[in-house]
């Protein structure tokens, strides 16, 4: 895991560092446009909450929260930034050829293998069900 240090050009960039494993190239079949009609307007489109609105256009990344790929091993390929939430997301390539996004488990790095199921080892990134039903 390499850390990229910035060359100081202004006082705000002093002592800045970025983890180089965070990549930003989303997969097209896992992202789609999200209609955001809020921005402080009511149902008629009239501004009711002032000083809200604008912002950059964001595409929604489809996250697999269920993790229902049972006993199929997957490999973390990229760790990416998600503009819709505070957490990073990981792109997982499963053994059956499927690709999905999950929330980035703390401590997981690129190349780690993860699996979900009832009889999986307790490890960071693995998913166990709440009950063995």
């Amino acid at each position: 895991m390499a850390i990229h240090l910035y060359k100081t050009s202004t006082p705000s960039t002093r002592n800045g560092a970025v983890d180089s494993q965070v990549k930003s190239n989303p997969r097209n079949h896992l992202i789609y446009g999200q209609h955001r009609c809020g921005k402080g307007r009511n149902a008629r489109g009239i501004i009711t909450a002032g000083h809200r609105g604008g912002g950059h256009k964001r595409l929604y990344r489809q996250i697999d929260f269920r993790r229902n790929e049972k006993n199929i091993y997957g490999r973390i390929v990229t760790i990416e930034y998600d503009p819709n939430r505070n957490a990073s997301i990981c792109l997982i390539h499963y053994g059956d050829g499927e690709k999905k996004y999950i929330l980035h488990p703390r401590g997981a790095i690129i190349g780690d293998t993860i699996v979900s199921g009832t009889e999986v080892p307790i490890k960071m990134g693995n998913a166990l069900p709440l009950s063995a039903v």
Side-chain angles (χ1 to χ4, degrees):
M1 179 164 67
I3 302 224
H4 175 72
L5 299 173
Y6 284 116
K7 185 188 283 187
T8 303
S9 58
T10 62
S12 63
T13 60
R14 204 169 279 141
N15 300 325
V18 168
D19 189 2
S20 65
Q21 83 181 41
V22 176
K23 297 184 178 179
S24 177
N25 53 345
R27 302 291 175 258
N28 288 338
H29 66 283
L30 294 174
I31 63 173
Y32 55 89
Q34 180 183 20
H35 181 64
R36 296 184 55 85
C37 59
K39 300 179 181 166
R41 271 94 170 150
N42 63 5
R44 292 171 43 203
I46 296 173
I47 296 175
T48 56
H51 306 292
R52 290 180 187 245
H56 199 274
K57 186 175 183 180
R58 302 183 292 187
L59 293 174
Y60 186 77
R61 275 81 171 157
Q62 189 172 2
I63 307 293
D64 179 26
F65 290 110
R66 294 179 187 248
R67 301 280 299 272
N68 50 9
E69 294 281 336
K70 300 297 181 200
N71 299 322
I72 298 176
Y73 283 85
R75 186 172 54 88
I76 297 178
V77 179
T78 61
I79 299 172
E80 301 176 9
Y81 170 77
D82 189 5
N84 298 300
R85 51 185 53 89
N86 291 349
S88 299
I89 56 175
C90 300
L91 179 67
I92 307 296
H93 284 191
Y94 285 101
D96 60 352
E98 199 164 1
K99 299 175 184 176
K100 291 186 178 181
Y101 280 122
I102 64 165
L103 294 179
H104 178 235
R106 183 179 295 160
I109 59 173
I110 294 176
D112 283 357
T113 58
I114 62 168
V115 65
S116 61
T118 57
E119 299 294 329
V120 298
I122 298 174
K123 192 181 88 169
M124 191 63 70
N126 290 350
L128 291 111
L130 292 176
S131 63
V133 174

